[in-house]
Amino acid sequence: MGQMNRRTVRDLRRGNRSTLLRQLYFQGPVSRQELGTLTGLSSGSVSNVVGELLADGLVEEAGSVESDGGRPRTLLRVAPGSGHLIGVDVGETHVRVELFDLTLTELARWEHPLTPGGLEREPEPVVGHILTGLDAVVAKSGAEPGKVIGVGVGVPGVVEQGDEALVHGPTAGRDAVPLERLLRTGTELPLFIDNGATAQGQAEMWFGAGRGADNAVIALIGSGVGAAIVTAGMPYRGATSSAGEWGHTVVQVGGRACRCGAVGCLEAYVGAQAVLDRYGRRAGGVYGGAEGDAAAVGAGVGAAAGVGACLGAGEDQQAAFAAIVGAAGTEARAREVLEETAAYLGAGIADLINLFNPERIILGGWAGLLLGGRMLPRIRAATAAYALHRPYAQTEIGLAELGPDAVALGAATLPLAHFLATGRAR
């Protein structure tokens, strides 16, 4: 019985520590008195736990404020330099590694481009790039390896969480890649691996357009299409962590072939490459295909040549996509393709609204932000046409706030979440 009681007290103190640390992180700087109000803990519990956090260097004083008729109240906050977080974005076109302090201020960055379809996108080369990037950002920032709380890795595909993290990438033809085991051969830093959309969605919920919402969907469009689903403030993962593969819901029976092997997937209509391919055919084969007629060539050659020039000069998919979006104001074919894309996207968002009844739909990803920046009213109108009226009327549809390349930032929230839950840096 005594041992059980000791465990109970230990667990209670650990829970109090985590509770206070979360409030300090998201609400700070705050005083001890305010912490008591925010957490419901007694002044004695607050004083004891704060004393521990100060002694451990995780919390620091941040000035003071006047109190009503009494002594000034000391403000407290999480110490930014008390630990470091690393986020890794394993994208379709790059591996990006970023190192942050505890307040997610970026201190160092390393990036390596990946050739689409090239051998360096195989698991072993990608692991090598990640490990190189980890060494590079630690050296560049001057961070002590012992103060790195952990490394979050955001990847495309389904991440199976178990004794070790396994990555299933159907669009790349890979199954059960032991990414955690492969990385463990080159680093002893704590590893946290998850789907990139899920990680970025967590960042938007904590620091971006999702703040204040308990039920939301962060819909991300880039080379691929995915979503992070948040219900009652928690990410919804499904039975085997494959929830959120929104890009592979069907919007057209017997439609365009998708990279996953199915046909008619949403990604095959609104993903960046799908838009480029459809534009190329509409423009008579100047880019992306040989289909089209003479009228299409005449109408589309100007902007299509711009897209082709981007790729011919070695520019990436993003530049080509941006060229189409930029041409939509003056070029009929670009406008037609984007209007069609907005219609398909609206249908896909309507499915999310009808299925999950979220407070907010947040459109992000580099292609999603480009498309939403020009077509958001059209996307909302298309969504209204396909969604049930009442849940649509109760849903806000807006753009993500953390920028087009926030996967590494989102990945860094994975070790941050562990830190806040345990109350310990390592």
Side-chain angles (χ1 to χ4, degrees):
M1 179 67 70
Q3 186 177 3
M4 184 180 296
N5 287 339
R6 283 197 297 274
R7 281 202 303 269
T8 302
V9 170
R10 188 183 307 117
D11 291 343
L12 180 61
R13 290 181 68 85
R14 186 183 297 118
N16 289 346
R17 184 180 173 103
S18 172
T19 298
L20 285 172
L21 199 56
R22 287 185 67 88
Q23 292 297 332
L24 283 165
Y25 191 87
F26 291 109
Q27 305 296 333
V30 293
S31 67
R32 289 172 175 82
Q33 290 82 355
E34 289 171 309
L35 282 173
T37 301
L38 289 169
T39 63
L41 296 175
S42 68
S43 59
S45 294
V46 170
S47 180
N48 289 336
V49 175
V50 166
E52 292 177 4
L53 294 171
L54 286 166
D56 291 343
L58 298 179
V59 168
E60 64 184 15
E61 295 183 354
S64 61
V65 292
E66 296 295 329
S67 62
D68 296 334
R71 297 170 56 188
R73 294 180 176 178
T74 301
L75 298 178
L76 303 166
R77 67 178 182 183
V78 171
S82 61
H84 296 94
L85 305 160
I86 297 179
V88 179
D89 172 12
V90 181
E92 304 243 359
T93 60
H94 61 260
V95 173
R96 180 180 298 123
V97 183
E98 299 177 29
L99 184 144
F100 306 86
D101 68 14
L102 263 186
T103 61
L104 289 175
T105 299
E106 183 183 312
L107 303 179
R109 174 184 292 214
W110 178 93
E111 185 169 343
H112 181 85
L114 299 177
T115 303
L119 291 177
E120 65 175 348
R121 294 187 65 219
E122 294 297 317
E124 288 77 10
V126 167
V127 167
H129 298 321
I130 294 173
L131 294 174
T132 298
L134 294 181
D135 291 339
V137 295
V138 169
K140 183 176 180 180
S141 66
E144 298 176 23
K147 292 183 69 174
V148 176
I149 292 171
V151 178
V153 184
V155 297
V158 176
V159 179
E160 180 182 347
Q161 305 288 354
D163 293 336
E164 63 173 341
L166 302 176
V167 180
H168 305 272
T171 59
R174 303 188 185 97
D175 189 53
V177 175
L179 182 59
E180 184 176 358
R181 189 192 318 161
L182 294 172
L183 287 171
R184 188 55 65 209
T185 63
T187 182
E188 296 181 355
L189 294 173
L191 296 172
F192 303 84
I193 301 172
D194 210 336
N195 173 268
T198 301
Q200 186 170 344
Q202 180 165 267
E204 283 288 345
M205 293 299 293
W206 285 4
F207 309 110
R211 285 172 297 181
D214 288 326
N215 299 278
V217 179
I218 299 87
L220 301 173
I221 302 174
S223 299
V225 176
I229 302 161
V230 178
T231 61
M234 299 296 293
Y236 176 74
R237 298 180 178 277
T240 58
S241 299
S242 67
E245 291 296 327
W246 175 54
H248 302 293
T249 56
V250 175
V251 294
Q252 179 67 60
V253 174
R256 288 171 51 88
C258 181
R259 296 184 301 167
C260 73
V263 295
C265 293
L266 179 66
E267 183 176 303
Y269 292 88
V270 306
Q273 190 58 52
V275 175
L276 293 176
D277 289 347
R278 292 201 337 273
Y279 178 85
R281 286 195 294 277
R282 300 273 175 103
V286 178
Y287 167 73
E291 300 177 22
D293 55 23
V297 175
V301 67
V307 175
C310 288
L311 295 174
E315 296 293 334
D316 58 19
Q317 187 184 65
Q318 297 187 28
F321 191 92
I324 293 177
V325 173
T330 57
E331 196 272 300
R333 288 295 173 181
R335 185 165 54 252
E336 179 187 1
V337 169
L338 291 191
E339 287 278 348
E340 183 181 74
T341 302
Y344 278 112
L345 182 53
I349 292 175
D351 288 342
L352 294 173
I353 291 174
N354 291 344
L355 283 170
F356 298 106
N357 186 211
E359 300 164 64
R360 297 178 197 170
I361 298 284
I362 300 164
L363 182 60
W366 63 265
L369 289 174
L370 282 169
L371 188 63
R374 176 174 286 274
M375 304 293 292
L376 190 58
R378 177 71 182 92
I379 293 167
R380 287 172 173 157
T383 302
Y386 291 106
L388 293 172
H389 173 71
R390 183 168 177 77
Y392 170 78
Q394 297 172 327
T395 304
E396 300 175 19
I397 302 175
L399 300 181
E401 295 179 356
L402 298 182
D405 298 312
V407 173
L409 175 67
T413 68
L414 301 175
L416 175 60
H418 178 77
F419 165 71
L420 294 176
T422 61
R424 298 193 179 279
R426 289 290 285 270

